[in-house]
Amino acid sequence: MALSPSSLDPRRPAALVSTQPRHAPGISVPLLIVILVFLALAASFLLILPGIRGHSRWFWLVRVLLSLFIGAEIVAVHFSAQWSVGGVNTNTSYKAFSAARVRAHVGLHVGLEGINITLTGTPVQQLNETIDYNESFNWRLGENYAEEYSEALEKGLPDPVLYLAEKFTPSSPCGLYRQYRLAGHYASATLWVAFCFWLLSNGLLSMPVPLYGGLALLTTGAFTLFSIFAFASISSVQLCPLRLGSATLTTHYGAAFWVTLATGILCLLLGVAVVSLHYSWPSALRTFLDQSGKDYGSQAKGSSPLILNNPLHKQFGALDLTTNTNL
């Protein structure tokens, strides 16, 4: 394996084991919190669902679950490390100042806020050690990637982990740090805008203005797809090869990328459906959105005025104002 100069740093001990908490690649505490919050909202709605009468119960079920899925996906992918992933099985050196080699699977997971590197031995027990590493390096606002890399050097992490981590440092000639950090910032910004329009669409679709709710859904889908294009256009060019032993690690788009793409297309389809039904079949749209009022269909076309009746007028009739005086 091509070793970096910093992997031979004499300050780095050769036998320390990482003390970073273990977690599955691509899974973080904020991501788990987002998933649990939206699952709690879905469970709460399912508890009150039996109280909704008639066929509107199923319309509400589809409407609420679709909306919660869109909102959860837009927020959750911010904290996922599955935007760009890659892995390779290789026979590589394990520690600096040692000729020992191990057979392991090396994984790279890139997200909007940093990278996650895994090293798993095949088998896990080799060289009288448990080879199972899972290390995160972040470039989100308020955190310093270079400092995290320096801490990894002091921990004495294995060479494959340090080699990949160094490729993403700001001082690396590969330029991966600037490339993926810029892609992540643009994608994250457009996704937050999409989330704001998702909130707006929910409010508008709950009022008798479904046309504007449909337009908000179209805008949500557009900004979601903008995040996909931003990430793909910036991170699609591989600036330098990642060689681990005799193998080369290549990356491809991960689950978060494809789920975000599907969500953007779903929002566009839903927005087009709402706008189309508003003009062609307003009664069906009113049924699906469970909006009451007989005047909605006529108001959508602008053909009938709004008439208000006073029930007291019919009850008492016209008052007789004639007065008779007997002397």
Side-chain angles (χ1 to χ4, degrees):
M1 184 186 73
L3 296 178
S4 61
S6 58
S7 64
L8 300 177
D9 193 333
R11 298 174 301 170
R12 178 167 61 89
L16 292 180
V17 180
S18 171
T19 59
Q20 183 168 336
R22 294 285 186 250
H23 51 81
I27 299 295
S28 62
V29 175
L31 177 59
L32 290 176
I33 292 176
V34 170
I35 294 174
L36 290 177
V37 167
F38 278 90
L39 285 178
L41 292 176
S44 300
F45 171 74
L46 292 177
L47 288 177
I48 66 174
L49 184 63
I52 304 177
R53 298 180 180 180
H55 296 290
S56 61
R57 173 188 306 172
W58 308 112
F59 292 133
W60 273 101
L61 176 65
V62 174
R63 176 185 171 186
V64 172
L65 292 185
L66 269 179
S67 179
L68 287 178
F69 168 77
I70 293 172
E73 193 280 335
I74 292 176
V75 178
V77 292
H78 283 88
F79 311 105
S80 173
Q82 297 295 318
W83 280 81
S84 181
V85 297
V88 64
N89 292 309
T90 184
N91 186 12
T92 179
S93 60
Y94 182 52
K95 294 287 186 178
F97 311 110
S98 173
R101 304 179 70 84
V102 294
R103 183 72 181 176
H105 176 81
V106 183
L108 175 64
H109 310 265
V110 183
L112 302 183
E113 298 183 337
I115 64 173
N116 183 267
I117 303 173
T118 60
L119 176 67
T120 306
T122 51
V124 176
Q125 296 292 337
Q126 298 184 51
L127 304 178
N128 297 323
E129 290 189 36
T130 299
I131 303 176
D132 186 15
Y133 291 84
N134 185 358
E135 305 296 330
S136 296
F137 302 87
N138 301 308
W139 53 61
R140 68 171 66 97
L141 295 178
E143 299 193 24
N144 192 318
Y145 186 98
E147 290 183 0
E148 294 187 5
Y149 176 70
S150 299
E151 293 176 359
L153 287 174
E154 296 176 358
K155 290 179 181 179
L157 296 182
D159 285 340
V161 175
L162 294 175
Y163 171 75
L164 291 178
E166 186 188 23
K167 291 294 184 180
F168 286 86
T169 55
S171 58
S172 173
C174 286
L176 295 178
Y177 175 82
R178 291 181 293 273
Q179 181 185 28
Y180 280 98
R181 185 173 180 267
L182 185 62
H185 283 349
Y186 277 116
S188 180
T190 52
L191 280 174
W192 282 122
V193 176
F195 179 74
C196 293
F197 276 99
W198 170 78
L199 292 175
L200 181 62
S201 68
N202 281 278
L204 293 174
L205 290 174
S206 300
M207 298 185 291
V209 284
L211 174 61
Y212 300 106
L215 295 177
L217 270 177
L218 287 174
T219 309
T220 302
F223 275 100
T224 303
L225 293 180
F226 287 161
S227 69
I228 290 293
F229 297 147
F231 186 85
S233 60
I234 299 177
S235 64
S236 59
V237 180
Q238 190 71 21
L239 299 181
C240 63
L242 303 176
R243 301 188 182 279
L244 296 164
S246 58
T248 300
L249 189 150
T250 58
T251 59
H252 57 274
Y253 296 128
F257 179 90
W258 297 115
V259 172
T260 305
L261 176 62
T263 303
I265 296 175
L266 176 62
C267 289
L268 290 180
L269 294 177
L270 292 176
V272 169
V274 171
V275 174
S276 300
L277 289 175
H278 172 77
Y279 289 107
S280 62
W281 200 1
S283 59
L285 180 60
R286 183 180 67 250
T287 301
F288 181 77
L289 298 178
D290 196 31
Q291 293 178 349
S292 60
K294 296 181 180 179
D295 298 323
Y296 172 80
S298 59
Q299 290 176 17
K301 299 180 181 179
S303 59
S304 299
L306 179 63
I307 301 176
L308 300 177
N309 294 322
N310 186 359
L312 296 178
H313 178 76
K314 296 181 179 180
Q315 179 178 356
F316 297 102
L319 296 177
D320 186 4
L321 301 178
T322 302
T323 303
N324 295 325
T325 303
N326 296 325
L327 299 176

